[in-house]
Amino acid sequence: MAELTFDSLMDDGNFLGSERARLENQVMLNELERKKKARNIAVPTDDGRVKARLREIGEPITLFGERPADRRDRLIYVLSQINHARGDDAMHVDEDSSDESDEEEESEFYTPGSLELLEARRKIAQYALPRAQKRIAQQLIDSKMELGRIVDIRKKVFGEVKKFAILGSQIGDERPISQVRFSPNNEILVTGSWSGTVRLWNVPACTPIRSLRGHSDRVGGVAWHPQATLSQSPDSVNLVSGAADCHLHLWSLNSESPLSVLKGHQERVCRVAFHPSGDYVASASYDTSWRLWDVATSQELLLQEGHSKEVYSIEFQNDGSLIASGGLDAIGRVWDLRTGRTAMVLDGHVQGIFSIAFSPNGYQIATGAGDDTIRIWDMRSLKSLYTIPGHTSNVSDVRFYEANDMFFKKPPTPEPISPDVNGDIEPAEASSTKTEVGTSGTTFTPEEEWSYRSGLFFASAGYDGYVKLWSADDWQLLRTLTTDSGKVMSVDISSNGHMIAAGTYNRNYQLYSDLE
């Protein structure tokens, strides 16, 4: 399969797959346009007038179990369908209710951006296209997998998840640990604390490597460069941290001083995130904005507003085309980095959103908030799929398990069978491709299991002192891990799936492992 680029996207006549897909796409676009116009229809708020209007257009004035609010929504829907069938661009406003709708019409507005931002948007689009193509191709393969094989893979993976137990605990700082993150090679753990210090630790030995000092106030977030400890030079940018001193620091692995200091925020910086390409960094701040930075030039590319209160959490989608922000206004927003538009509004929590995470499947999002719940959102349907009453206090962090292919271990190839003394060759006991037999009698290869397990579970941390592991398909609790603290500030899962780290208010971090 040829890699998808701008040029091939323009020339590909089958980009939408088939004529049927084109028609389905057009139907979806028409429905979105209808809903957009329906929002501009003014209808009466008085239930009696709503019934009278329904009678005028020949619709039932009430349905079984229908409430006044539902009846008004039905009237809006019917009017929008009528106008759409007529082909009217302008929506007919109900005369009786025109005096009741004096609100100003909302419209999109744009602010001028720099040429550097335009070039960054182009690079992000070019980077994201082939990654999205690869992800969707793998999902198409997984969708054709037999149900029995899926059930067996789930049982095996969840069986391993339920084995997680405490491996060790280490005092990480003199003040609470605000965030923990595993390095891409799973050999180093970085911790950020309220003392303003970023520390690197060997894992699972829990021995200190280096302390990075540069912040003068609480560190709110830390993040690894996607290629740090892998192909990235130790002398280059490997880490980013943000703190309450309003600054972001870019760090190498060989120096205790920052390589660069990013200045621009007016208030405390909370969470930070690296773009999957490693070329950009995003930061969330109490100044009600999030910002995008160029790592190479240390320049601010974008100052994005949109929240009415402090922005606490920020996270990139794995493809690199989207970014999600969560604010203390209890609203989350998904932004398209290629256009600057809002792709989805996550409206459902009743208290501030403290954590946000994209699933590796690219279209589901998990948010943890101060209302003690975890919400799962689906970007395809633009709504909340499920609400998990996960903890008895604030949900401080959520992290999906994302498998890294470099940690996949292929089964050893069996040695060729040599003839016996009589010259006979015994049948091979194992084929060159090792398969496993599940409880339902189906077989699956290690490659199939590895590709399917990514994103199959996620972890959450709460101020109730627990780390909880959840299945990411039916959202059921798999395992509860206790800590020695009343508040767990952060949690992370290693990309090989064998370790979990939790940073606590008690100034320590704890490691859990599924290896016996």
Side-chain angles (χ1 to χ4, degrees):
M1 181 172 57
E3 184 176 286
L4 194 61
T5 63
F6 275 163
D7 295 333
S8 62
L9 182 63
M10 296 289 290
D11 298 335
D12 187 6
N14 293 322
F15 172 62
L16 294 177
S18 65
E19 186 61 28
R20 178 182 175 185
R22 291 175 186 272
L23 294 175
E24 291 177 351
N25 185 64
Q26 187 60 45
V27 170
M28 289 168 47
L29 290 175
N30 292 340
E31 180 66 11
L32 288 174
E33 185 66 20
R34 185 196 63 76
K35 289 181 178 179
K36 181 179 179 181
K37 292 180 178 180
R39 287 195 291 268
N40 294 326
I41 298 179
V43 298
T45 56
D46 179 71
D47 192 45
R49 290 186 178 182
V50 170
K51 290 180 179 179
R53 190 75 176 93
L54 285 169
R55 183 180 289 109
E56 288 177 10
I57 59 179
E59 290 289 322
I61 63 172
T62 187
L63 300 177
F64 180 75
E66 189 176 51
R67 298 173 300 174
D70 299 329
R71 192 157 34 250
R72 186 170 183 272
D73 291 340
R74 181 162 62 90
L75 175 59
I76 293 175
Y77 175 78
V78 172
L79 290 176
S80 68
Q81 291 282 40
I82 292 174
N83 289 332
H84 181 71
R86 290 174 178 171
D88 295 345
D89 291 332
M91 306 304 292
H92 298 289
V93 180
D94 189 79
E95 296 179 357
D96 295 334
S97 61
S98 58
D99 57 341
E100 300 176 6
S101 300
D102 296 329
E103 297 180 359
E104 295 183 2
E105 182 180 353
E106 294 184 3
S107 61
E108 292 182 337
F109 66 94
Y110 300 89
T111 55
S114 63
L115 292 177
E116 290 81 5
L117 175 59
L118 177 62
E119 184 61 25
R121 293 197 190 281
R122 287 176 176 166
K123 288 182 178 179
I124 288 172
Q126 290 174 336
Y127 177 83
L129 273 174
R131 288 174 65 91
Q133 180 189 28
K134 181 180 178 181
R135 171 177 58 82
I136 293 172
Q138 182 60 50
Q139 289 174 345
L140 183 62
I141 295 173
D142 292 342
S143 67
K144 297 178 181 179
M145 192 180 300
E146 296 178 8
L147 179 59
R149 298 163 82 179
I150 294 176
V151 170
D152 290 335
I153 291 175
R154 289 181 75 257
K155 286 183 178 178
K156 181 181 179 184
V157 173
F158 293 162
E160 295 173 358
V161 171
K162 292 177 181 178
K163 294 179 182 179
F164 271 100
I166 186 70
L167 179 65
S169 180
Q170 174 67 279
I171 295 178
D173 211 293
E174 52 197 36
R175 295 203 66 193
I177 305 293
S178 55
Q179 197 166 35
V180 294
R181 289 293 182 258
F182 284 106
S183 64
N185 69 353
N186 300 317
E187 296 177 4
I188 302 176
L189 183 74
V190 61
T191 60
S193 81
W194 285 8
S195 69
T197 304
V198 177
R199 298 180 189 269
L200 304 178
W201 305 83
N202 282 310
V203 288
C206 296
T207 55
I209 299 176
R210 183 172 286 106
S211 296
L212 309 178
R213 294 181 173 87
H215 290 292
S216 59
D217 207 336
R218 294 167 292 172
V219 173
V222 291
W224 288 95
H225 187 287
Q227 295 301 318
T229 68
L230 298 177
S231 60
Q232 185 81 341
S233 168
D235 296 320
S236 301
V237 175
N238 281 257
L239 272 170
V240 63
S241 61
D245 57 9
C246 308
H247 298 160
L248 282 80
H249 288 182
L250 301 178
W251 307 89
S252 70
L253 297 181
N254 291 337
S255 174
E256 295 183 358
S257 300
L259 297 176
S260 181
V261 178
L262 311 182
K263 300 180 181 180
H265 282 293
Q266 303 301 312
E267 295 290 344
R268 168 188 172 189
V269 177
C270 300
R271 301 307 194 204
V272 293
F274 254 108
H275 187 267
S277 67
D279 295 333
Y280 310 101
V281 164
S283 56
S285 171
Y286 266 41
D287 60 11
T288 71
S289 74
W290 65 266
R291 306 192 187 209
L292 187 69
W293 309 81
D294 189 311
V295 173
T297 63
S298 299
Q299 290 183 349
E300 177 187 305
L301 296 175
L302 173 67
L303 186 160
Q304 183 64 63
E305 298 176 320
H307 290 270
S308 60
K309 288 187 178 181
E310 298 88 344
V311 184
Y312 196 90
S313 54
I314 196 84
E315 190 69 31
F316 287 100
Q317 184 212 34
N318 292 344
D319 294 344
S321 59
L322 304 176
I323 188 172
S325 59
L328 299 189
D329 54 2
I331 299 294
R333 290 184 179 271
V334 181
W335 309 83
D336 191 334
L337 291 169
R338 300 163 296 185
T339 63
R341 292 172 177 262
T342 299
M344 181 178 178
V345 177
L346 314 179
D347 187 3
H349 286 291
V350 296
Q351 291 192 34
I353 296 176
F354 296 133
S355 56
I356 196 163
F358 275 99
S359 169
N361 63 27
Y363 55 83
Q364 288 180 336
I365 304 170
T367 54
D371 56 12
D372 311 342
T373 66
I374 303 165
R375 280 183 176 261
I376 308 298
W377 311 82
D378 193 316
M379 292 194 61
R380 301 170 301 180
S381 59
L382 299 178
K383 65 180 182 180
S384 175
L385 281 182
Y386 201 83
T387 300
I388 306 173
H391 294 265
T392 57
S393 190
N394 296 349
V395 181
S396 56
D397 206 0
V398 288
R399 296 289 286 179
F400 278 93
Y401 166 62
E402 183 177 357
N404 189 331
D405 291 342
M406 69 173 294
F407 296 106
F408 172 66
K409 296 180 180 179
K410 293 184 178 180
T413 303
E415 297 181 0
I417 306 298
S418 57
D420 60 14
V421 293
N422 297 323
D424 298 328
I425 299 179
E426 296 291 334
E429 296 182 359
S431 62
S432 59
T433 302
K434 183 180 178 181
T435 60
E436 297 189 35
V437 180
T439 56
S440 63
T442 60
T443 60
F444 56 88
T445 64
E447 289 85 355
E448 288 177 326
E449 178 203 335
W450 184 262
S451 66
Y452 193 81
R453 72 160 52 212
S454 186
L456 203 52
F457 67 95
F458 71 95
S460 66
Y463 275 19
D464 54 4
Y466 293 106
V467 171
K468 296 188 178 183
L469 307 179
W470 309 85
S471 63
D473 48 10
D474 58 1
W475 322 112
Q476 299 302 305
L477 180 64
L478 299 175
R479 179 78 166 151
T480 299
L481 304 174
T482 59
T483 66
D484 56 6
S485 173
K487 297 179 182 178
V488 183
M489 311 287 284
S490 178
V491 68
D492 195 24
I493 307 174
S494 63
S495 57
N496 60 12
H498 293 312
M499 285 190 294
I500 293 176
T504 71
Y505 191 80
N506 278 7
R507 303 172 298 142
N508 65 9
Y509 66 88
Q510 294 177 304
L511 290 181
Y512 305 87
S513 174
D514 64 345
L515 300 178
E516 298 178 355

